[in-house]
Amino acid sequence: MRDNDLYQELILDHYRNPRNCCSLQHPTHSASGDNPLCGDQLDIYLNVDGDVINEITFEGSGCAVSQASASLMTEHLKGHTIEEALKVFDKVHMMLTGLHPDEVNPEDEKAMGKLKALSGVAEFPMRVKCASLAWHTLKSALKNCEENKISTE
Amino acid sequence: MNENYNVEVIRKDFPILKKSVYLDNGATTQKPEQVIQRLNHYYRNENANVHRGVYKLSQLATEAYEGARSTISRFINCSEKELIFTRGTTESINLTAFSLVEPLVKEGDEILISHMEHHSNIVPWQLVCKRTGALLKVIPVSDSGEIEMDSFETLLSDKTRFLSLTHISNVLGTINPIKEMIESAHQKGIPVLIDGAQAIARTKVDVRELDADFYAFSGHKMYGPTGIGVLYGKKDFLEKMRPYQSGGDMIRRVTFDKTTWNDLPHKFEAGTPDIAGAAALASAVEYLESIGMDNIESYELSLLDYAEKKLKAIEDLHIMGNPEKRAALLSFTMGDAHPHDIAHELSLQNIDVRAGHHCAQPLMNRFNVPATTRASFGMYNTKKEIDILIGALPKIREKFKL
């Protein structure tokens, strides 16, 4: 059933019990994102030490897909470097939009771990924006980070 | 309800209804065979440009186009000169904003709308205000989803230059007391535009009886094609208004020094119009007339009544607003389930509803919800279809329970 592809138990679990769902008191980086068509809204907070994401959290409201995607993202990226996070962003983007499936090598696939639960979204073009909101918001937060770096150097 | 109303006979004219339970008629309606055939017939047998050629085909095209104007003006009870073809409600409102209201207002003047307007009846006025320094004033809406009439009377001030108001809310279904409101505005000399997008296919509209100065609607929400709509305007206003777009067909005489405008309604119809769309819209009007607007209205209200009772029985389901007079559409929230998840699950069961803010973000904010699910009924929906919707909802509520 296509139905099960989108709302896998893992997605519903992260929707019901979102991980890292809180704000950070003194984030090094943060960004807000919204999807005006749906009314979904998210804030992403990061504490980055050097290049490493020590803490990453989110707060917001939206559909099960957007909430679960944000929760899975925070769980996956904690402890990774910014460079790694941006690589994951690209892979997730490809997965959600169903692009270049041939280019995914088995090792990459393994590295995606639980994020693969989001792959069902590719079947539903109207829901891609729900799943990608957290990721675009993350990218915007990291971009701010780079800009900050540039301005402080 | 009229016993002769045979919904099964009507449904035979809409083969697309076999595909799904279509409950998004507030967004657009399906088209009967007669409308689709009309488009087909035009391009096969009558296609040429209008108001120009002396040859037979051009004459046929002109007759199709002007005949459509005649049919539709009779439907809303206005003269043909007062009926301007546009692309739809949005363009009709923009035309009025640009050609009438913008030159009329100056800094400090006020334009009045309500809190339940669609974005297309908010943004054009914001732009006029931005360009002129006029102020946009908003009539509040009560918790029950009705215009607050006391506030309305107070807001009609000696600074108010224009009132633009929806006939039926596309989110709440509220039928506004527009006749009474037009009368109040007229007592202070304020012209009024009514956004009839949701009303035109649901109730009999008589622009003279309403005494509306402008009435805007879209073809595709009244079982006609997309890309064609109407602006009705009183002749006295239209004659004084500046043109909206310029080019061919809207001129009388062009020299490099000076151009004079064509007579109404052509002054507001620059370029080659949507001839086939107009002809097919007239077919939609004839279709509605053959069933009867009163019959459609009472049938749809029986559907609404049925749906309302059944929806209210579902645990944690809240219908937005509770207006005394409601057309056959309603918005709701249900438990923890987000409207997008609800609509997604329904779509997997071939039930088409709308989820989101319905182009009415200020109203969503007013009711403190980011989005709602909306079921909007049309003349071809059935109680059986409502049962299918109702049957699907409790499981969805369970699935997304936190």
Short mmCIF file of all heavy atoms in Angstrom, two decimals, chain B residues 63-83:
data_model
loop_
_atom_site.label_atom_id
_atom_site.label_comp_id
_atom_site.label_asym_id
_atom_site.label_seq_id
_atom_site.Cartn_x
_atom_site.Cartn_y
_atom_site.Cartn_z
N GLU B 63 -21.29 36.21 -32.66
CA GLU B 63 -22.60 35.84 -32.11
C GLU B 63 -22.46 34.94 -30.88
O GLU B 63 -23.20 35.08 -29.91
CB GLU B 63 -23.45 35.12 -33.18
CG GLU B 63 -24.13 36.09 -34.12
CD GLU B 63 -24.69 35.40 -35.38
OE1 GLU B 63 -24.75 34.15 -35.40
OE2 GLU B 63 -25.05 36.13 -36.31
N ALA B 64 -21.48 34.03 -30.92
CA ALA B 64 -21.26 33.15 -29.77
C ALA B 64 -20.86 33.98 -28.55
O ALA B 64 -21.35 33.78 -27.44
CB ALA B 64 -20.18 32.12 -30.09
N TYR B 65 -19.95 34.93 -28.79
CA TYR B 65 -19.42 35.75 -27.69
C TYR B 65 -20.48 36.71 -27.15
O TYR B 65 -20.73 36.76 -25.94
CB TYR B 65 -18.20 36.50 -28.20
CG TYR B 65 -17.43 37.26 -27.13
CD1 TYR B 65 -16.84 36.59 -26.07
CD2 TYR B 65 -17.30 38.65 -27.20
CE1 TYR B 65 -16.12 37.28 -25.10
CE2 TYR B 65 -16.58 39.35 -26.24
CZ TYR B 65 -16.00 38.66 -25.19
OH TYR B 65 -15.29 39.35 -24.24
N GLU B 66 -21.09 37.46 -28.04
CA GLU B 66 -22.08 38.45 -27.58
C GLU B 66 -23.37 37.76 -27.12
O GLU B 66 -24.06 38.26 -26.23
CB GLU B 66 -22.35 39.48 -28.68
CG GLU B 66 -21.14 40.40 -28.97
CD GLU B 66 -20.62 41.11 -27.73
OE1 GLU B 66 -21.40 41.44 -26.81
OE2 GLU B 66 -19.38 41.32 -27.65
N GLY B 67 -23.67 36.61 -27.70
CA GLY B 67 -24.82 35.83 -27.24
C GLY B 67 -24.60 35.37 -25.81
O GLY B 67 -25.53 35.36 -24.99
N ALA B 68 -23.36 35.00 -25.51
CA ALA B 68 -23.02 34.58 -24.15
C ALA B 68 -23.22 35.74 -23.18
O ALA B 68 -23.77 35.58 -22.09
CB ALA B 68 -21.57 34.10 -24.10
N ARG B 69 -22.81 36.92 -23.61
CA ARG B 69 -22.99 38.10 -22.75
C ARG B 69 -24.47 38.31 -22.45
O ARG B 69 -24.86 38.62 -21.31
CB ARG B 69 -22.39 39.34 -23.44
CG ARG B 69 -22.18 40.50 -22.47
CD ARG B 69 -21.85 41.81 -23.19
NE ARG B 69 -20.76 41.74 -24.13
CZ ARG B 69 -19.45 41.82 -23.83
NH1 ARG B 69 -19.10 41.96 -22.57
NH2 ARG B 69 -18.53 41.77 -24.76
N SER B 70 -25.26 38.12 -23.47
CA SER B 70 -26.69 38.33 -23.31
C SER B 70 -27.29 37.30 -22.34
O SER B 70 -28.06 37.65 -21.43
CB SER B 70 -27.32 38.24 -24.71
OG SER B 70 -28.66 37.96 -24.62
N THR B 71 -26.90 36.04 -22.49
CA THR B 71 -27.40 34.98 -21.60
C THR B 71 -27.01 35.25 -20.15
O THR B 71 -27.83 35.14 -19.23
CB THR B 71 -26.81 33.62 -22.02
OG1 THR B 71 -27.15 33.38 -23.38
CG2 THR B 71 -27.31 32.48 -21.15
N ILE B 72 -25.74 35.61 -19.94
CA ILE B 72 -25.25 35.77 -18.57
C ILE B 72 -25.83 37.05 -17.94
O ILE B 72 -26.14 37.08 -16.76
CB ILE B 72 -23.70 35.76 -18.54
CG1 ILE B 72 -23.20 34.43 -19.11
CG2 ILE B 72 -23.17 35.95 -17.12
CD1 ILE B 72 -21.75 34.44 -19.56
N SER B 73 -26.00 38.09 -18.74
CA SER B 73 -26.56 39.33 -18.17
C SER B 73 -28.03 39.09 -17.77
O SER B 73 -28.48 39.62 -16.75
CB SER B 73 -26.40 40.52 -19.11
OG SER B 73 -26.99 40.24 -20.35
N ARG B 74 -28.73 38.28 -18.54
CA ARG B 74 -30.10 37.95 -18.16
C ARG B 74 -30.09 37.16 -16.83
O ARG B 74 -30.91 37.40 -15.94
CB ARG B 74 -30.74 37.12 -19.26
CG ARG B 74 -32.26 36.98 -19.13
CD ARG B 74 -32.80 35.95 -20.11
NE ARG B 74 -32.29 34.62 -19.82
CZ ARG B 74 -31.69 33.82 -20.70
NH1 ARG B 74 -31.50 34.20 -21.95
NH2 ARG B 74 -31.25 32.62 -20.34
N PHE B 75 -29.11 36.26 -16.69
CA PHE B 75 -29.00 35.41 -15.50
C PHE B 75 -28.84 36.22 -14.22
O PHE B 75 -29.40 35.89 -13.18
CB PHE B 75 -27.81 34.47 -15.70
CG PHE B 75 -27.55 33.48 -14.60
CD1 PHE B 75 -28.49 32.52 -14.26
CD2 PHE B 75 -26.35 33.49 -13.90
CE1 PHE B 75 -28.24 31.59 -13.27
CE2 PHE B 75 -26.09 32.57 -12.90
CZ PHE B 75 -27.05 31.62 -12.57
N ILE B 76 -28.07 37.31 -14.29
CA ILE B 76 -27.87 38.12 -13.08
C ILE B 76 -28.69 39.41 -13.10
O ILE B 76 -28.57 40.25 -12.21
CB ILE B 76 -26.36 38.45 -12.84
CG1 ILE B 76 -25.77 39.26 -13.99
CG2 ILE B 76 -25.56 37.17 -12.59
CD1 ILE B 76 -24.41 39.87 -13.67
N ASN B 77 -29.51 39.56 -14.14
CA ASN B 77 -30.41 40.71 -14.27
C ASN B 77 -29.69 42.05 -14.41
O ASN B 77 -29.88 42.97 -13.61
CB ASN B 77 -31.41 40.76 -13.10
CG ASN B 77 -32.53 41.77 -13.35
OD1 ASN B 77 -32.82 42.12 -14.50
ND2 ASN B 77 -33.14 42.24 -12.28
N CYS B 78 -28.84 42.15 -15.43
CA CYS B 78 -28.24 43.45 -15.74
C CYS B 78 -28.29 43.65 -17.25
O CYS B 78 -28.72 42.76 -17.99
CB CYS B 78 -26.78 43.50 -15.25
SG CYS B 78 -25.65 42.46 -16.18
N SER B 79 -27.88 44.84 -17.70
CA SER B 79 -27.86 45.06 -19.14
C SER B 79 -26.54 44.53 -19.70
O SER B 79 -25.55 44.40 -18.98
CB SER B 79 -28.04 46.55 -19.45
OG SER B 79 -26.79 47.15 -19.63
N GLU B 80 -26.53 44.25 -21.00
CA GLU B 80 -25.32 43.68 -21.61
C GLU B 80 -24.14 44.65 -21.52
O GLU B 80 -22.99 44.24 -21.45
CB GLU B 80 -25.60 43.32 -23.07
CG GLU B 80 -26.55 42.14 -23.17
CD GLU B 80 -27.23 42.02 -24.53
OE1 GLU B 80 -26.68 42.54 -25.52
OE2 GLU B 80 -28.32 41.42 -24.59
N LYS B 81 -24.44 45.92 -21.55
CA LYS B 81 -23.37 46.94 -21.48
C LYS B 81 -22.66 46.91 -20.12
O LYS B 81 -21.56 47.42 -19.97
CB LYS B 81 -23.96 48.33 -21.67
CG LYS B 81 -24.32 48.66 -23.11
CD LYS B 81 -24.78 50.10 -23.19
CE LYS B 81 -25.27 50.48 -24.56
NZ LYS B 81 -24.33 50.20 -25.65
N GLU B 82 -23.34 46.35 -19.14
CA GLU B 82 -22.80 46.37 -17.78
C GLU B 82 -22.05 45.09 -17.43
O GLU B 82 -21.62 44.92 -16.30
CB GLU B 82 -23.94 46.57 -16.78
CG GLU B 82 -24.62 47.92 -16.91
CD GLU B 82 -25.86 48.04 -16.06
OE1 GLU B 82 -26.68 47.09 -16.03
OE2 GLU B 82 -26.02 49.09 -15.40
N LEU B 83 -21.93 44.19 -18.39
CA LEU B 83 -21.30 42.90 -18.11
C LEU B 83 -19.96 42.81 -18.85
O LEU B 83 -19.92 42.72 -20.08
CB LEU B 83 -22.23 41.76 -18.53
CG LEU B 83 -21.77 40.39 -18.01
CD1 LEU B 83 -22.95 39.61 -17.46
CD2 LEU B 83 -21.05 39.60 -19.07
#
